[in-house]
Amino acid sequence: MAQPNRSPVGWQRVRLEAALDFIREGDTLVVTRLCRLARSTAHLLQILDRVKGKGAGLNILNLGADSGSPTGKLIYTVIGAIARFERELMLERQQEGVAKAKAERNTKAESPPTGLKSGEVKALKADGVRPVEIARRLGIGRASVYRVLAA
C-alpha cells in the first residue's frame, strides 16, 4: 500500500482519494475499521457526504452498521466523536508522561551519583590513575570524573 504523501496543506491519502473518486452509484465502500478511514469526526462526515453524494454507501465491518440509514449515520457520528475523544485523552496522557519524565530527569541531574564516589575519584587520581580508567573502574562517565576533579 502506498504511503501518504506530504503536501503543503497536510497529509494526502492517495489510495483513499482514488477510491472515493472511483466509487459509483450503487457501490458500497467497505472499510475494516473506522480508524483506518477517518482522522476526525468532521473528516468522517465529509467522507460520508462525499460517498452519499455519489449515490453509494459506506460499510465499516467492525461496527456492523451501514451508512444507508439514518441510524447508521448516527452510529458513525457517535463512534467518530468517541474515537477523537480517546485520541485526545491519549495525547494528553502522553504529554503528562513526558513532563513527568523531564521533571524526574531534572531532579536526578541536581544530585549527581558521582557525589558518593568523589572520594574514590580523588584517591584514584592521587594514585596516578588516568580519568578514563577511573571512570571505567567506578562505572561512571568520564565527564563525571572531570567534574569531581575540577570541584
Side-chain angles (χ1 to χ4, degrees):
M1 186 165 155
Q3 293 293 322
N5 296 327
R6 186 74 171 142
S7 74
V9 178
W11 287 100
Q12 293 178 346
R13 299 173 63 205
V14 178
R15 296 274 176 110
L16 175 61
E17 287 301 317
L20 292 173
D21 288 342
F22 181 80
I23 200 166
R24 306 286 184 249
E25 186 175 344
D27 289 348
T28 300
L29 179 63
V30 179
V31 182
T32 57
R33 295 186 320 256
L34 177 63
C35 66
R36 303 299 297 157
L37 177 66
R39 301 295 187 222
S40 67
T41 307
H43 188 221
L44 174 64
L45 294 176
Q46 179 185 25
I47 291 170
L48 272 171
D49 287 343
R50 195 166 162 189
V51 169
K52 282 188 136 187
K54 291 190 167 201
L58 174 66
N59 186 359
I60 300 177
L61 296 177
N62 72 336
L63 297 180
D66 188 6
S67 68
S69 68
T71 305
K73 187 171 182 178
L74 172 67
I75 288 172
Y76 288 147
T77 304
V78 170
I79 297 294
I82 291 170
R84 182 172 179 104
F85 176 69
E86 285 178 341
R87 173 83 175 139
E88 289 172 358
L89 282 179
M90 188 271 309
L91 290 174
E92 186 177 287
R93 287 190 301 265
Q94 181 183 23
Q95 289 171 349
E96 289 171 359
V98 167
K100 182 179 177 185
K102 283 182 181 179
E104 287 176 1
R105 205 172 318 129
N106 288 342
T107 303
K108 290 178 183 174
E110 291 170 3
S111 57
T114 54
L116 299 174
K117 298 182 179 182
S118 62
E120 294 176 65
V121 169
K122 290 175 182 175
L124 287 169
K125 181 62 177 168
D127 290 341
V129 180
R130 298 184 59 147
V132 174
E133 180 61 23
I134 295 171
R136 189 190 63 74
R137 286 186 191 179
L138 299 178
I140 60 175
R142 188 181 64 205
S144 297
V145 172
Y146 286 113
R147 265 195 306 273
V148 169
L149 295 174

